[in-house]
Amino acid sequence: MKLKTALSAAITLAGVTAGGQALAADPMCGANTGEAASGDPILVGGIHGNAAPGDFSAATDAAKAYFDCVNANGGINGRPIEYIIENDQWNPELAAQAAAKLVNDTDTVALVANGSFIEMAVNAGTYAEADIMVMASACAISECFESSNIVSTNQGPLPSNLGAVMYAREELGAENIACIGLNIPNNGIWSCEAAINYMEENGGTGSMALINPGAPDVNSALLEAVSSGADTILINQPAGLALAILKAAEEQDLRDAFNWIAPTPLYDLSIPDQVGEYWHGHVYVNAELAPFQVNGPDAQNWIAVMDAYARPEDPRDTFAQAGYLSAKFFTEMMLEMDPADVDDRAKVADAIRAIKGKTSDLMCGPYYVGDADFHMPNHAGYMVKIIEGGYEIVRDCYEYDSSYFDPHLKLEAEMGLQ
């Protein structure tokens, strides 16, 4: 994957607030005609999880905002996108019901901006059997990246953890990491094991402390991590639980005893104020997509779309960036299709698999899909440090080093993307 040149600076979030202060005056979406779409809608689905242990609706919120903008600007050759969103509530039965409704009971041509711990594991087989493609945005489990019909703009915990641990080893002197993960085999255990394997392959060591998502005991997990002999704590959690761990660590005044690192969920406009002065300058976070001060055209347009078409309370975070990108790439692909084919699920699936070389200032490398049993186009990112009022970029776009990516690099070479 060819990395893009990124802006390196210590810049706070002045001009980019949780209320979505605009960086661009007018959003650009789809055909950008300024005329509202009409006629028969094209059905597109999306599934997110919103319940304990976290809210992953940011991606579908952003995708809905983008599709609303597309519909106000000519739609798909004049036709609007009807975006149908389901919440699996982290419940396997509800996840299966949501997919059955979208895939079997409606004429959806694809799913866009999915994000969940649960639904990909439950529904990956359903999507493959129906040959419907899912352009996800908030994947968090192994099935999402190791399935034929799911591809995501976000990285998920495994690459993001690897990026954080790689930085900690190379720049912070980490030799022994303790990964605090969720006790979910295809999420916390899967991604913590990859981080530990990376450390062991590079002369270090590691361990994991697991939290039960149904009854999270952050104090016990933190105590286990602290007593492991680690010099670095990897907080591999959704934002809410990550903040609870940092609060517990602050109460015990543990800040200076360890390096503190985390994957993307701690990259959110609201986080610097929530962690407070105690942690400013002491928590390093891997950013799967461009930090907010890397102010390119898509970064500006994302904020403009959110300002114009999303709710003020909708998050402006990495998952919202990913939802915007998935919706944008999907729309661009649909506009390139023969208008007579956009209702044909099989032809839409083929068109999605043919996507390659899509670029954005929000991503370090090209987005692609391809015809494979695995998909992980996004495996390079940034490293940032939480500071007062925002984040400081401490490492520009960099590829993560792991044998896990060997099949993906081979596929990229075959597609001419290296």
Side-chain angles (χ1 to χ4, degrees):
M1 179 183 291
K2 297 175 181 177
L3 297 186
K4 301 171 65 172
T5 301
L7 174 68
S8 178
I11 308 175
T12 60
L13 299 179
V16 188
T17 69
Q21 187 172 335
L23 294 177
D26 298 307
M28 306 281 287
C29 306
N32 207 46
T33 64
E35 298 180 1
S38 60
D40 293 335
I42 300 166
L43 303 186
V44 177
I47 302 174
H48 66 241
N50 183 6
D55 180 0
F56 273 28
S57 63
T60 48
D61 288 342
K64 181 182 185 302
Y66 189 83
F67 288 144
D68 286 348
C69 183
V70 169
N71 291 341
N73 283 280
I76 305 299
N77 301 301
R79 296 174 57 193
I81 293 173
E82 182 178 337
Y83 188 45
I84 307 167
I85 301 173
E86 298 290 328
N87 177 13
D88 69 18
Q89 300 179 48
W90 307 117
N91 182 307
E93 290 185 7
L94 293 179
Q97 291 171 13
K101 174 182 176 180
L102 293 174
V103 175
N104 300 326
D105 299 340
T106 62
D107 293 325
T108 51
V109 297
L111 277 69
V112 175
N114 288 28
S116 172
F117 283 112
I118 300 298
E119 82 92 3
M120 282 87 171
V122 173
N123 296 324
T126 298
Y127 301 142
E129 183 177 355
D131 195 23
I132 188 169
M133 291 297 292
V134 180
M135 295 178 67
S137 303
C139 283
I141 59 173
S142 59
E143 286 88 348
C144 189
F145 302 100
E146 298 171 1
S147 300
S148 60
N149 285 60
I150 306 173
V151 60
S152 190
T153 42
N154 85 303
Q155 295 177 357
L158 186 148
S160 196
N161 279 342
L162 284 170
V165 171
M166 182 178 171
Y167 176 84
R169 186 185 71 83
E170 294 177 349
E171 302 294 341
L172 305 178
E175 296 180 353
N176 185 345
I177 63 123
C179 179
I180 304 179
L182 291 173
N183 192 11
I184 302 174
N186 54 1
N187 171 264
I189 297 173
W190 169 67
S191 54
C192 280
E193 283 181 344
I196 294 167
N197 290 341
Y198 168 83
M199 289 299 296
E200 292 176 347
E201 290 168 359
N202 288 277
T205 189
S207 60
M208 69 177 79
L210 300 176
I211 291 176
N212 179 356
D217 185 346
V218 298
N219 288 293
S220 294
L222 178 62
L223 178 62
E224 183 178 351
V226 166
S227 63
S228 69
D231 53 47
T232 301
I233 307 294
L234 170 60
I235 307 175
N236 180 20
Q237 295 289 327
L241 289 176
L243 289 168
I245 290 169
L246 288 173
K247 181 179 179 180
E250 181 177 353
E251 290 172 352
Q252 299 179 50
D253 197 21
L254 295 174
R255 182 190 67 193
D256 298 330
F258 303 92
N259 300 313
W260 297 89
I261 60 175
T264 281
L266 269 185
Y267 191 71
D268 180 297
L269 288 172
S270 67
I271 295 296
D273 285 344
Q274 291 189 68
V275 300
E277 182 180 358
Y278 179 86
W279 288 109
H280 291 161
H282 295 275
V283 181
Y284 295 83
V285 180
N286 178 265
E288 301 175 6
L289 296 172
F292 302 120
Q293 62 262 47
V294 179
N295 192 19
D298 266 339
Q300 294 182 45
N301 196 51
W302 162 60
I303 289 293
V305 168
M306 297 295 286
D307 282 353
Y309 293 95
R311 299 167 299 181
E313 66 269 23
D314 289 344
R316 275 68 169 167
D317 63 7
T318 296
F319 298 122
Q321 289 177 322
Y324 162 88
L325 277 180
S326 292
K328 179 176 183 286
F329 293 153
F330 174 78
T331 298
E332 291 172 351
M333 178 273 302
M334 292 287 278
L335 287 171
E336 293 168 358
M337 291 184 65
D338 184 328
D341 293 338
V342 297
D343 290 310
D344 188 320
R345 179 182 291 177
K347 290 182 178 179
V348 171
D350 287 341
I352 291 173
R353 281 188 280 263
I355 293 174
K356 70 174 184 177
K358 291 283 187 182
T359 60
S360 169
D361 49 275
L362 290 175
M363 292 184 70
C364 286
Y367 176 85
Y368 64 94
V369 182
D371 190 359
D373 292 331
F374 54 86
H375 299 285
M376 189 179 282
N378 188 358
H379 48 79
Y382 297 77
M383 205 68 187
V384 300
K385 178 170 62 177
I386 298 176
I387 60 175
E388 181 180 0
Y391 296 85
E392 175 186 344
I393 299 174
V394 296
R395 181 177 283 192
D396 291 339
C397 281
Y398 64 107
E399 286 276 8
Y400 311 146
D401 179 17
S402 172
S403 58
Y404 181 87
F405 304 120
D406 288 349
H408 305 87
L409 296 175
K410 181 180 178 183
L411 179 60
E412 289 167 14
E414 292 171 353
M415 298 178 72
L417 296 174
Q418 293 185 9

